[in-house]
Amino acid sequence: MKPKSQIVDLPVYKPGKPIEEVKRELGLEQVIKLASNENPYGSSPAALEAITKEMANVSVYPDGSSVELTEVLAEHLGVERSNLIFGCGSDEIIALITRAFFLPGDETIMADQTFSVYKSNADIEGAVTIEVPLKNGTHDLPAMLAEINDKTKAVWICNPNNPTGTIVTEQDLITFMDQVPSQVMVVLDEAYYEFVTDEAYPQSIPLIDRYPNLVVLRTFSKIYGLASLRIGYGIARPEVIDLINRVREPFNTSRFGQVAAKAALQDQAFVQECSQRNAADREWLQNEFSRLGLRYFSSQGNFILVDVNMPSLTAFQSLLKQGIIVRSGFHVYPTYIRVSVGTAEQNRAFIAALENTLAESESARP
Ligand SMILES: Cc1ncc(COP(=O)(O)O)c(C=O)c1O
């Protein structure tokens, strides 16, 4: 059997280490996972209730067009139903975009340290990824613009950027969009939209009317706390949604995902509360990093990228032994780890463990 040549050297995606695996491997009873930017407060009770009720229908295929959820989300966002598409996480929308639009040899532009799924899907389609260095951890939109040429199919802007947590402002985005040729798609990934507190952050949905080449991605995995149900969505002009829909599998979201997302949308009090807690705890963590003399990127997400002044894998392993899972291995930032903002208690445990890690590293220095 001969696979597509472009997939032969593709690395398999490494997710954050599962809690169960760490407990088993290290014989730990308590493990705190701050590695995948999940919601430490779980999800809305209304979503859990909806899932329980839906159990009776487990043997019946879901609604392939997510009609009810589409209605509720369109109303919530103030868009038409034809502006929306759902996926098995926003991961799948990324894959569908590349599947629908990318041909071998096309070029696609993204930051040099951003969400890895853009590149892996571009690779699968045989497209060429042009990586533009972040500037102070932030997308360098003028430099990205300068890379656009006749071969460019799409530009990816992760806002806030995973892993740095930085944002591009509305003004910068508009200046950029005004100069991007209309045949080049701009994908604005707003997986962490609900955590942002900076007022300069773009209100992107109204921009879809102005820019037919703009696609916005959001998800129920993060603030809505439904990561395991795999449901995310894209917002774009109907003609773009229609094209993406052509390559979508018929039943790509589950009954549980659809009913939970619908119920979760109707509990905005939960979203508000989680966002406020996250902002306060994010600030607490950042202050702790300052107290410890560590550099970090000021974050608008539910995670922070912090420089621990040692190879990130060393810090990762030291924290793991203490029952804390974080994320390491960011090639542009080899001495940084990414930590998700947890509950206040989890954050305190993380800082205590980090202090041990820093002391260990200090005492090992010649
Ligand atoms: C920036 C960004 N986009 C998209 C996703 C995908 O999320 P999901 O597929 O769970 O919706 C993630 C997940 O971590 C992410 O960090």
Side-chain angles (χ1 to χ4, degrees):
M1 290 190 297
K2 197 164 186 296
K4 284 160 101 168
S5 58
Q6 62 262 37
I7 69 139
V8 176
D9 295 325
L10 269 189
V12 175
Y13 181 81
K14 281 211 190 85
K17 247 180 181 305
I19 292 181
E20 296 76 13
E21 187 182 319
V22 174
K23 280 187 178 167
R24 217 174 30 243
E25 279 179 5
L26 297 173
L28 293 169
E29 272 186 15
Q30 225 224 324
V31 168
I32 299 172
K33 183 180 175 212
L34 299 174
S36 301
N37 307 339
E38 294 144 336
N39 186 340
Y41 302 104
S43 49
S44 160
L48 302 182
E49 202 186 313
I51 297 167
T52 312
K53 280 203 191 127
E54 196 59 28
M55 300 259 245
N57 297 322
V58 76
S59 60
V60 183
Y61 279 110
D63 167 9
S65 325
S66 310
V67 170
E68 288 186 22
L69 174 59
T70 306
E71 246 164 53
V72 174
L73 182 62
E75 162 101 28
H76 173 72
L77 298 175
V79 299
E80 298 297 323
R81 284 171 286 182
S82 54
N83 290 122
L84 297 174
I85 182 168
F86 291 92
C88 177
S90 46
D91 274 348
E92 191 195 13
I93 312 280
I94 297 167
L96 295 178
I97 288 171
T98 60
R99 192 166 168 190
F101 289 90
F102 287 15
L103 287 168
D106 283 346
E107 291 188 5
T108 186
I109 301 170
M110 62 190 73
D112 61 347
Q113 188 75 75
T114 189
F115 188 47
S116 62
V117 172
Y118 315 142
K119 179 168 173 1
S120 57
N121 279 287
D123 286 349
I124 292 168
E125 302 304 330
V128 179
T129 295
I130 311 293
E131 292 184 326
V132 175
L134 291 170
K135 203 167 158 187
N136 301 323
T138 308
H139 282 76
D140 186 348
L141 296 184
M144 294 174 95
L145 191 68
E147 292 294 341
I148 294 179
N149 61 35
D150 290 349
K151 292 194 199 142
T152 310
K153 264 292 163 61
V155 182
W156 305 84
I157 303 174
C158 187
N159 202 31
N161 187 40
N162 178 1
T164 51
T166 55
I167 58 161
V168 303
T169 65
E170 175 147 329
Q171 199 45 58
D172 289 347
L173 181 66
I174 288 174
T175 306
F176 174 76
M177 291 301 302
D178 279 341
Q179 296 173 81
V180 173
S182 58
Q183 78 278 9
V184 176
M185 180 185 284
V186 175
V187 185
L188 191 61
D189 183 349
E190 297 187 335
Y192 301 97
Y193 166 83
E194 298 86 353
F195 295 106
V196 175
T197 49
D198 189 332
E199 284 178 4
Y201 187 66
Q203 281 312 319
S204 56
I205 291 178
L207 298 180
I208 289 168
D209 281 339
R210 204 152 133 192
Y211 304 108
N213 53 339
L214 182 63
V215 179
V216 177
L217 306 182
R218 293 197 189 154
T219 182
F220 288 98
S221 297
K222 303 299 176 182
I223 208 153
Y224 288 98
L226 301 177
S228 70
L229 296 179
R230 309 304 302 123
I231 187 152
Y233 57 99
I235 317 156
R237 292 275 274 262
E239 58 276 19
V240 179
I241 295 293
D242 182 59
L243 290 169
I244 305 172
N245 248 324
R246 287 165 200 237
V247 298
R248 181 176 68 78
E249 304 296 336
F251 302 112
N252 64 328
T253 60
S254 70
R255 279 184 173 274
F256 295 128
Q258 291 178 21
V259 294
K262 188 175 139 204
L265 269 175
Q266 288 162 328
D267 185 359
Q268 287 299 314
F270 175 81
V271 174
Q272 282 278 317
E273 195 184 328
C274 292
S275 181
Q276 279 163 11
R277 284 193 191 183
N278 178 73
D281 293 339
R282 182 173 70 195
E283 194 179 336
W284 183 83
L285 275 171
Q286 292 185 163
N287 287 337
E288 285 295 289
F289 294 147
S290 298
R291 176 178 69 79
L292 296 170
L294 303 178
R295 285 186 301 177
Y296 59 88
F297 288 102
S298 183
S299 173
Q300 285 292 307
N302 64 341
F303 53 87
I304 306 165
L305 190 67
V306 56
D307 187 356
V308 287
N309 300 310
M310 67 185 93
S312 70
L313 189 61
T314 309
F316 170 85
Q317 281 165 340
S318 162
L319 289 165
L320 195 64
K321 273 192 252 153
Q322 302 174 73
I324 312 268
I325 318 174
V326 295
R327 204 64 192 257
S328 64
F330 299 102
H331 65 282
V332 175
Y333 303 106
T335 59
Y336 285 67
I337 56 169
R338 190 194 69 197
V339 60
S340 305
V341 177
T343 62
E345 193 187 344
Q346 290 174 330
N347 298 334
R348 277 195 299 272
F350 161 68
I351 291 291
L354 181 62
E355 291 194 78
N356 294 335
T357 297
L358 296 171
E360 251 172 47
S361 157
E362 195 53 46
S363 63
R365 248 175 221 164

